[in-house]
Amino acid sequence: ANDTVSETVKVGDNPTADVRYGDAHASPTLWLDPDGYIHVLYGGHGAAIKHKKSTNPYDISNWTALSDFSSVGTYPYVVANGSNVYVFYRHDNVRWYKKSTDGGNNFGSDVQWISTEGVYYKFVRKGNKVHFIMWYTGTGEEAKQLRYCYFDLDTETFHKVDGTELSIPFAFTDADLAWTSPTPVAEAASIGVDDSGNIYIIAYARQTHDTPATEHADIYAIKWDGSSWQSKDTGLDVEFASGWFYLAVKSSSEIDFYFVEMDSGGCGAFRKYTSSNGLDYTLAETIADELTC
């Protein structure tokens, strides 16, 4: 309310430090339960996924340890829907989720929803739907594809864009084909949805899945307009195909795209582009100039 930032507070220790010398896979994810308590999950990638809860509502000064979310797995992503909390995560290189019905204090059994190994995704929630755009880290034609599905929070079922239900666990190729890259590798950068249900995606076309991704990548815009998938090369690119991308879909005629235009050294200006149709983007603002690497 007074536009101030609190002092930092230690929530816990990075559990990957003991198994992998520490890495960013332990990055935390958090949510607020209906009673105002703050929950944090962190860890995984060879270590347990830890779970902490603020000792008091709306207060970060003290934390209470709850049972580990999981002894295995990584990449916990949270969708909180009132007292129902869904955590999507990876284990054995396939995708699962767990559900809590009490705000996140306790979780039920593991539910596998993707059977194909090596599938990654970006997602966004809009109303009662969680929209996923997925890519495959293997080889062959599937590595060129982005595929789409959504999770209905009311029915707890997965669907194709036309509403057809997908039986779980489903294969990568069972989901909708949204885009095929002209290069050997497709990856999604961000996804957004407007109030009419139109879907907007930013993706990039790459040559390999190598990490770090020190290679040129062309940035594409993809859109579902209610009847078909459309795509267009935006003319934008990066020389370091990684980093931070974000789509802010305000309406069907006002879509903002933020990203760092990285060079081969991993540095670049942070810029905002805007679009009135989700396919054509023009520079609106340079938010921060490139730093010297």
Side-chain angles (χ1 to χ4, degrees), residues 14-16 20 22-28 41-46 49 73-76 90 120:
N14 180 356
T16 69
R20 302 179 66 90
D23 64 28
H25 291 76
S27 299
L41 296 180
Y42 59 99
H45 210 222
I49 298 178
T74 194
Y75 302 131
R90 185 187 75 178
Y120 287 72

Side-chain angles (χ1 to χ4, degrees), residues 118-140:
V119 173
Y120 287 72
Y121 55 80
K122 301 287 185 177
F123 74 96
V124 67
R125 176 186 175 180
K126 184 71 173 180
N128 68 335
K129 294 180 180 179
V130 183
H131 301 264
F132 292 90
I133 187 68
M134 305 176 290
W135 67 96
Y136 172 62
T137 56
T139 58

Side-chain angles (χ1 to χ4, degrees), residues 31-34 79-85 100-104 125:
W31 70 95
L32 192 70
D33 72 22
V79 176
N81 187 35
S83 294
N84 291 334
V85 178
S100 170
T101 59
D102 58 7
R125 176 186 175 180

Side-chain angles (χ1 to χ4, degrees), residues 4-274:
T4 60
V5 178
S6 73
E7 295 292 329
T8 59
V9 174
K10 179 179 178 180
V11 176
D13 293 307
N14 180 356
T16 69
D18 294 329
V19 295
R20 302 179 66 90
Y21 307 102
D23 64 28
H25 291 76
S27 299
T29 185
L30 59 83
W31 70 95
L32 192 70
D33 72 22
D35 296 320
Y37 290 92
I38 307 162
H39 294 252
V40 178
L41 296 180
Y42 59 99
H45 210 222
I49 298 178
K50 314 300 286 186
H51 186 184
K52 290 284 185 72
K53 176 183 176 180
S54 63
T55 305
N56 297 299
Y58 308 106
D59 181 2
I60 66 170
S61 60
N62 290 286
W63 296 85
T64 300
L66 301 184
S67 299
D68 291 349
F69 171 78
S70 178
S71 61
V72 294
T74 194
Y75 302 131
Y77 297 120
V78 175
V79 176
N81 187 35
S83 294
N84 291 334
V85 178
Y86 303 86
V87 180
F88 299 88
Y89 66 102
R90 185 187 75 178
H91 170 50
D92 284 342
N93 207 22
V94 293
R95 298 293 173 162
W96 309 74
Y97 76 85
K98 285 185 180 183
K99 177 187 176 183
S100 170
T101 59
D102 58 7
N105 293 312
N106 300 281
F107 284 89
S109 58
D110 307 273
V111 179
Q112 185 181 1
W113 59 284
I114 290 182
S115 58
T116 305
E117 294 185 2
V119 173
Y120 287 72
Y121 55 80
K122 301 287 185 177
F123 74 96
V124 67
R125 176 186 175 180
K126 184 71 173 180
N128 68 335
K129 294 180 180 179
V130 183
H131 301 264
F132 292 90
I133 187 68
M134 305 176 290
W135 67 96
Y136 172 62
T137 56
T139 58
E141 286 302 306
E142 282 113 4
K144 301 179 180 181
Q145 300 173 353
L146 292 187
R147 290 189 172 265
Y148 166 87
C149 69
Y150 71 84
F151 180 68
D152 189 313
L153 292 168
D154 292 335
T155 60
E156 298 180 357
T157 50
F158 288 87
H159 299 262
K160 299 177 73 169
V161 72
D162 65 0
T164 301
E165 184 174 343
L166 293 164
S167 298
I168 61 172
F170 56 86
F172 175 71
T173 52
D174 291 332
D176 289 294
L177 177 59
W179 178 63
T180 300
S181 172
T183 63
V185 169
E187 289 190 13
S190 189
I191 180 172
V193 181
D194 68 24
D195 289 339
S196 299
N198 299 314
I199 303 160
Y200 306 87
I201 298 160
I202 292 292
Y204 43 89
R206 292 179 54 184
Q207 295 297 324
T208 71
H209 284 296
D210 291 347
T211 301
T214 50
E215 64 179 50
H216 177 92
D218 293 324
I219 297 175
Y220 281 76
I222 303 152
K223 176 183 177 181
W224 171 260
D225 65 1
S227 60
S228 65
W229 292 101
Q230 304 171 33
S231 63
K232 187 173 184 179
D233 187 338
T234 64
L236 304 172
D237 55 34
V238 287
E239 297 300 330
F240 186 93
S242 184
W244 191 82
F245 301 80
Y246 178 67
L247 269 179
V249 179
K250 301 175 181 177
S251 71
S252 60
S253 60
E254 190 177 4
I255 302 103
D256 294 332
F257 169 40
Y258 299 83
F259 81 112
V260 178
E261 294 193 49
M262 287 188 178
D263 58 24
S264 58
C267 291
F270 180 34
R271 293 197 170 107
K272 170 186 173 182
Y273 288 81
T274 190

